[in-house]
Amino acid sequence: MKKLLTITASTILIAAGAATALAATGEELFKTHCAACHPDGGNIINPKRTLQKTSLAEHGIKSWQGIVKNMRNPGTGMTKFDKNTIPDKDAKAIAEYIFKTFE
């Protein structure tokens, strides 16, 4: 029984480590969900609404929360990304990546 518990505990720790290793970065998530329409922080649908900080600020987006809000309820031309499509943790990672990358 003690040997079984040790094996089970080791298996759980290995599985937890694998799940952490598989967690995508903001950059990877951006490439998966956003880059097709926002290559290099641009905007193929509406070139006036890029992901550059100045453009975001002009449209009232001044924090990562503003980007997530826009992802959840976008305007015309942008796909809506609900919590089932992009969980909050991933949406935040994308938004933080955008602010860090597209100055």
Side-chain angles (χ1 to χ4, degrees):
M1 180 72 165
K2 188 175 182 180
K3 188 175 184 178
L4 179 61
L5 288 174
T6 302
I7 292 170
T8 303
S10 296
T11 303
I12 291 169
L13 290 173
I14 290 168
T20 301
L22 295 177
T25 65
E27 180 180 12
E28 293 166 338
L29 293 163
F30 178 84
K31 287 177 181 178
T32 299
H33 298 288
C34 313
C37 294
H38 294 285
D40 297 319
N43 187 329
I44 65 169
I45 305 298
N46 184 352
K48 293 180 182 179
R49 298 218 40 180
T50 71
L51 300 179
Q52 302 300 319
K53 280 186 183 178
T54 54
S55 180
L56 292 171
E58 287 172 5
H59 295 95
I61 299 172
K62 299 178 183 178
S63 67
W64 68 264
Q65 292 95 335
I67 291 177
V68 173
K69 181 179 177 183
N70 198 58
M71 290 169 69
R72 301 289 188 232
N73 192 22
T76 305
M78 184 170 157
T79 301
K80 181 177 184 173
F81 294 103
D82 63 22
K83 291 180 182 186
N84 291 325
T85 306
I86 301 178
D88 287 339
K89 174 181 70 73
D90 291 349
K92 180 181 179 187
I94 291 169
E96 289 176 337
Y97 170 76
I98 290 169
F99 270 107
K100 179 181 78 176
T101 305
F102 306 114
E103 301 209 25

